[in-house]
Amino acid sequence: MSETVRIILNGDERAVPAGAMLAAALLGLGLTRFRTSVHGEPRAPLCGMGACQECRVTVDGRLHVRSCMTPCREAMRVETDQP
C-alpha cells in the first residue's frame, strides 16, 4: 500500500499519494475546475509540464502556483475556484 500525505483542499482535509504532483492528486480527487479564466471559463490542467499554466492554484497563501510542478507535502493548504 502506498503512503499518503494530508493536504487541506478548500478547507477540507484530504489524503493524497505521497510524492504525487499536486495536479494529479487533485484530478484523482475528482476536481475538474482549478481556476476561472478572465472571461469566466473553467480551467484545469492541460499540458502537465508547466507550459500552459492552466493548473494554477493557491498554495499556502501563494497565488498562481503551477500544480503540475508542485509535489504534494504534508499539511499544504490548497485553494481552487471549486469548493
Side-chain angles (χ1 to χ4, degrees):
M1 184 170 173
S2 64
E3 290 185 38
T4 61
V5 293
R6 173 184 59 91
I7 66 170
I8 310 302
L9 174 60
N10 297 325
D12 295 324
E13 189 174 301
R14 304 292 183 96
V16 297
M21 289 297 130
L22 183 55
L26 297 180
L27 289 169
L29 291 172
L31 198 72
T32 59
R33 181 187 198 119
F34 283 40
R35 66 181 194 88
T36 304
S37 75
V38 294
H39 301 291
E41 299 166 330
R43 296 291 189 227
L46 180 65
C47 74
M49 61 183 192
C52 73
Q53 299 188 30
E54 296 295 345
C55 66
R56 291 177 290 161
V57 296
T58 300
V59 175
D60 296 330
R62 208 170 106 222
L63 302 172
H64 308 297
V65 174
R66 291 176 290 175
S67 62
C68 69
M69 305 291 287
T70 305
C72 293
R73 60 178 167 65
E74 185 67 29
M76 72 189 312
R77 293 188 170 276
V78 181
E79 296 173 38
T80 69
D81 281 357
Q82 181 175 319

